[in-house]
Structures are given as C-alpha cells and as structure tokens.
Amino acid sequence: MKALIQPVRLDDEKSELIVLDQTLLPGKVEYLHLTTQESIWEAIYKLQVRGAPAIGIAAGYGVYLGAKASAATTYEEFVADFNQSKDYLASSRPTAVNLFWALDRMAKRLETEKDQSVPELKAALLQEANQILADDETVCQRIGEYGAELLADGMTILTHCNAGAIATSGFGTALAPVYVAQDKGLTISVYADETRPLLQGARLTAWELVESGIDTTLICDNMASIVMKEGKIDAIFVGCDRVALNGDTANKIGTSGVAILAKHYGIPFYVCAPMSTIDIECKTGDDIQIEERPGAEITDMWYETPMAPAGVKTYNPAFDVTDHRLITGIITEKGILKPNYEESISNIFALV
Ligand SMILES: CSC[C@H]1O[C@H](OP(=O)(O)O)[C@H](O)[C@@H]1O
C-alpha cells in the first residue's frame, strides 16, 4: 500500500520539520518549514499538523530538534534542555495520547544512553524519532490489513473526522482498510461526515479519498442518522485519540453520537487504534481529558458573514468519549480486539 502523502518529515541538514499545512486543504497543498519549538507547538495547536499519530511523529522530531540546538556539554545539562523542550511541546494539546507517548518514548531512549557523548545523544534521539515514524508506517499497514478483512466488494462505510493518511505517517488508520481493500481490487464506497466545526471530514477525508479514486459522498454530521436508516451504511470505521483500558474511546467530537446511532440501526462500529493510542493508565473514558477549543471555531470560520449573533455563548469540546459497549471491535496492529476490552487490551500489551 503506497503512502498517499507524507504529512510530517524531517530535513535534518536544515534542522527543519516539514509539515503539510492541513489548515489550507483541500484548496492548497503547501508545506511549513518549522525550525523553532514555538512554531512546532503552534502547528500542533492550530491543527496544521493533526491526527494522533501525526502529532506523535511531529513531537518526536520536534523534541529532537529542540535537543539538537542544545549547547550542553554534559548528560545532565543535555537532559535538562531536552526536558524543557519535552514539557513545552506536551502543553500544545491534551487529548491525543500519541503526543505524550512519543515524548515519553524519546525520554526513555535518552535514559538508555547515559554513557554517551552529547553528539551521540543527539544521534540517538534522531534515530528514535525516525523509528517512531517507521513504526507508524508498519502499524497503519497492519491496521489496514486487519480492517480490510471486514470489508467485501461493494460495501459502503461511514467515517467521521479524518483518520487517514495525513493524520498518520502516510497510510491512515480508519481509512487504511479502505486503501488496502482498494489495492486488493475491491470497490468500497465511503460516506464522510463533514465533522464540524473544523471540517476535517469535508476538507481532509473527502480530499484524500477523492485523490485516491474512492467513491466518496460528503454529508453534514446531522445526516448520519438518515443514511444509516436508509440502509446505505454497512459498517462504520473511525480513528481515535486515546483509548482507555476498558475500551472507552476518545475521538473527534460527534463520534459518540455516530456510535449511538450505529447501535440503534444495528450497524457494526469499529475503532481503528494503534497501540500507541491506547492508554492503559486510563482505566475508563472518565480519565481522558477533553480538549476545549475557542468558540470562534464555531462562529467565525467558514462563513463570510457572521453565522451567529455577537455575544452568543459557545461550547467547543474537540472530542467526546464513545462508551466501549457501543464498539463492535477495536482494530489494532495486533489484530481485531473484541469485548471484553479490558481483557483483550491487557493481553496485547502483555504480549509486547
Ligand atoms: C488517526 S487520527 C485520530 C484522530 O485525531 C483527530 O483529531 P484532530 O483532527 O483534532 O487532531 C480525529 O479525532 C481523528 O479521528
């Protein structure tokens, strides 16, 4: 399966993190060349780079670039500089666990290199950041292969937000099964929820799928019920930002509503989850912090004239939590997990 596009990569020679600016899609395919911690932080916060795995990859390279600039001459001084960059990048967005997973993975690598010189420490961090990217490519392909086992020629799926190539290393999670099925010669159609307020479904998923030649129908989020009721949807595939040990899953706002509708209409609902997005420290979804974003994303974007009266209050949670009892299966790189999720998730982590 070929990568549609690589949303995050490093130019180590120029000490630049090169990021596909997803806020400009689908109209413009442009890249940011980020050299400072501030610009990397901002790119994550503004969703110029977004999607749990892509955020993790960006964080790995971001903290490497921060450490690369260190003038430290001792391990202790270097670690202090590393931790300053790590803590700063960790403050960009709270929900996607991949951000913290990647930063912690980089810190753990540093701990194993205590006897190395500072140049060797920098080389080790670069290697680890590259490995985070490479691992995600393998993981997404495996999720695609397992997920494709659930698809048959002529099936139609619905998805919410964007958990595609540009949200990951280039292969996607929720869209990976569609890409694998396409490579196998199957015809799969997709209904994409536009996903207000930031329209990742309209701007990103529809763009990816149309670019890939997949039959795609864009709908408003409030149309998900009628397409399910009319029998148009055979299965639902979504991504995730943090999966708790019991299988409760945080994903883009609106996902839990789709899952409730799916249950009502008897449609299978799958979460595509790299193990890097499963947080076994979170016992249930109640332990997951939900990012709240500015109300202007609801009122001021996408419309020439104000779509709401000045002074109106807003509430803009960027994610919600889908109860594990609504999830038919969790598709991971180790296979398709079925309930009891606390048991099946514990098993795959014990296998690692
Ligand atoms: C494989 S991407 C996972 C997840 O991330 C997205 O959130 P955001 O666009 O805010 O970064 C969305 O919830 C995707 O499903």
Side-chain angles (χ1 to χ4, degrees):
M1 189 169 68
K2 65 192 182 308
L4 173 77
I5 192 167
Q6 200 171 17
V8 185
R9 63 186 174 85
L10 176 77
D11 182 334
D12 193 34
E13 234 173 79
K14 294 180 180 173
S15 295
E16 283 181 359
L17 183 65
I18 300 172
V19 159
L20 170 67
D21 185 346
Q22 297 190 35
T23 62
L24 301 179
L25 289 172
K28 293 179 187 171
V29 179
E30 290 183 8
Y31 291 84
L32 301 165
H33 294 253
L34 308 174
T35 57
T36 66
Q37 296 292 292
E38 292 72 19
S39 63
I40 294 168
W41 187 101
E42 188 178 55
I44 294 171
Y45 176 74
K46 285 184 172 178
L47 283 77
Q48 290 169 310
V49 55
R50 48 141 306 277
I55 291 171
I57 294 161
Y61 281 130
V63 76
Y64 159 68
L65 286 176
K68 183 180 180 183
S70 168
T73 55
T74 68
Y75 178 81
E76 291 67 27
E77 286 172 4
F78 184 77
V79 167
D81 289 345
F82 171 89
N83 285 335
Q84 191 172 16
S85 172
K86 173 175 180 281
D87 294 345
Y88 176 63
L89 292 177
S91 68
S92 53
R93 295 185 75 190
T95 305
V97 69
N98 292 61
L99 171 63
F100 310 96
W101 169 84
L103 292 171
D104 289 346
R105 177 167 163 176
M106 295 290 281
K108 287 189 177 75
R109 175 62 186 267
L110 200 50
E111 285 166 16
T112 67
E113 306 282 349
K114 281 195 168 63
D115 305 328
Q116 303 301 320
S117 68
V118 168
E120 287 166 331
L121 294 175
K122 293 181 180 180
L125 288 176
L126 174 58
Q127 187 192 40
E128 196 65 29
N130 285 332
Q131 195 58 54
I132 289 173
L133 173 63
D135 288 350
D136 189 71
E137 289 173 337
T138 303
V139 163
C140 288
Q141 294 195 61
R142 287 197 183 136
I143 287 173
E145 285 151 16
Y146 281 118
E149 291 174 6
L150 301 166
L151 295 172
D153 193 34
M155 277 180 73
T156 298
I157 71 161
L158 178 136
T159 191
H160 190 79
C161 196
N162 173 259
I166 58 176
T168 65
S169 51
F171 298 85
T173 55
L175 297 186
V178 176
Y179 295 137
V180 169
Q182 183 188 42
D183 280 357
K184 290 179 175 177
L186 303 184
T187 299
I188 304 297
S189 299
V190 178
Y191 276 74
D193 280 354
E194 67 171 355
T195 317
R196 274 189 59 78
L198 293 179
L199 305 181
Q200 289 95 326
R203 297 186 301 108
L204 308 178
T205 292
W207 174 77
E208 270 197 42
L209 293 173
V210 167
E211 286 288 304
S212 301
I214 302 285
D215 175 61
T216 305
T217 304
L218 176 64
I219 59 171
C220 297
D221 302 329
N222 54 15
M223 299 169 188
S225 178
I226 195 169
V227 295
M228 292 188 212
K229 181 178 182 178
E230 290 176 347
K232 291 180 165 69
I233 309 299
D234 298 305
I236 293 160
F237 285 72
V238 297
C240 55
D241 292 87
R242 195 181 296 238
V243 181
L245 181 61
N246 75 340
D248 289 351
T249 295
N251 196 53
K252 186 51 49 194
I253 188 71
T255 304
S256 65
V258 170
I260 292 164
L261 289 169
K263 184 65 108 179
H264 176 76
Y265 291 112
I267 297 169
F269 180 91
Y270 295 103
V271 171
C272 296
M275 288 175 72
S276 59
T277 312
I278 299 175
D279 180 0
I280 56 176
E281 300 307 315
C282 279
K283 300 308 173 203
T284 74
D286 293 341
D287 301 322
I288 299 174
Q289 182 183 346
I290 299 297
E291 177 187 19
E292 259 196 74
R293 294 184 64 87
E297 291 180 353
I298 299 172
T299 58
D300 295 8
M301 297 181 84
W302 320 121
Y303 296 93
E304 287 300 314
T305 55
M307 51 81 87
V312 70
K313 290 199 296 184
T314 57
Y315 175 48
N316 184 15
F319 301 96
D320 60 23
V321 174
T322 297
D323 186 292
H324 63 281
R325 290 165 294 189
L326 299 171
I327 300 172
T328 310
I330 298 178
I331 305 168
T332 75
E333 62 270 35
K334 298 282 188 181
I336 302 173
L337 308 185
K338 291 294 179 77
N340 168 297
Y341 290 124
E342 180 153 351
E343 199 177 301
S344 50
I345 287 174
S346 300
N347 286 340
I348 62 168
F349 276 84
L351 289 176
V352 167

